[in-house]
Amino acid sequence: LYAKSGLVPFPAGNTGLQTAGWSNREIATLGDLRGLKIRIAGLGAEVVARLGAVPVNVAGAEIFDALKSGRIDASEWLGPANDLAFGLFRVAKYCYFPGWQEPGSTIECVVNERAWNALPDDLKAIVETCCRAANDAMLADFTVANMRALATLRDEHGVEFRRLPDSVLAALRQESDAVLEAVAARDPFARRVHDAWSAFRDEVRGWHAISEVPYYQASGAPAGTARGA
């Protein structure tokens, strides 16, 4: 995909799993999404619109004021660390999880293809290694920052972290699949990406079912709560 534009991409950062976002309206049933004015963009906006919500295009720097004024009822942003810095806990009552719309944001280092091809192999290896290191370091930094900010928001500011109801998550999953399938149907390359991603997701679930998930359960982490997340 990048080659068409003469570019060579490298993953060089990731924010990790995000939250579903903040809301001044309680989301207890699927019906609570109807008419919900939510700041969300991209494919996520298409998904919630199918369920009756009203996506609103709001720049990140304007989220606080938009929530405070009532211009929007809810907003997805990032995770506890960034949300704490933005002061969103001052203008929204609930913070919902999991971040169904954005399980991770990849930051990229993009290099001009001609410049890349002109580099000797040792410098190419340095670029690749540095990008890998930056990718791992950012994910580690966000994990620790979000861990600490979660405690601050919950214990010092009394934020209610709530898991989205199973019925809502099921509907979001169903509509997400439909939106992604529609994108794949429109473009051969999108179809290649979608099918490869879907196959990997299904395979890795089998491994996580006997590794990550039972480890958390065996370690005594409570299920379905922010404290055990």
Side-chain angles (χ1 to χ4, degrees), residues 162-203:
R162 294 189 174 185
R163 187 179 187 275
L164 287 170
D166 289 341
S167 59
V168 173
L169 287 172
L172 289 169
R173 181 173 62 251
Q174 179 178 333
E175 296 303 334
S176 293
D177 288 344
V179 167
L180 292 177
E181 179 58 37
V183 172
R186 294 196 298 264
D187 179 77
F189 193 91
R191 168 60 65 190
R192 285 176 56 194
V193 173
H194 177 270
D195 290 351
W197 167 78
S198 298
F200 175 81
R201 176 197 59 189
D202 293 344
E203 286 188 41

Side-chain angles (χ1 to χ4, degrees), residues 10-34:
F10 300 93
N14 198 306
T15 62
L17 189 65
Q18 301 186 9
T19 59
W22 296 77
S23 179
N24 277 316
R25 282 172 48 179
E26 187 175 13
I27 302 174
T29 68
L30 190 56
D32 292 324
L33 292 181
R34 297 191 188 100

Side-chain angles (χ1 to χ4, degrees), residues 18 49 135 216:
Q18 301 186 9
N135 193 69
Y216 267 94

Side-chain angles (χ1 to χ4, degrees), residues 10 38 53 88-89 99 112 114 153 186 218:
F10 300 93
I38 178 172
L88 299 184
F89 63 92
N112 178 282
R114 285 181 296 177
L153 289 167
R186 294 196 298 264

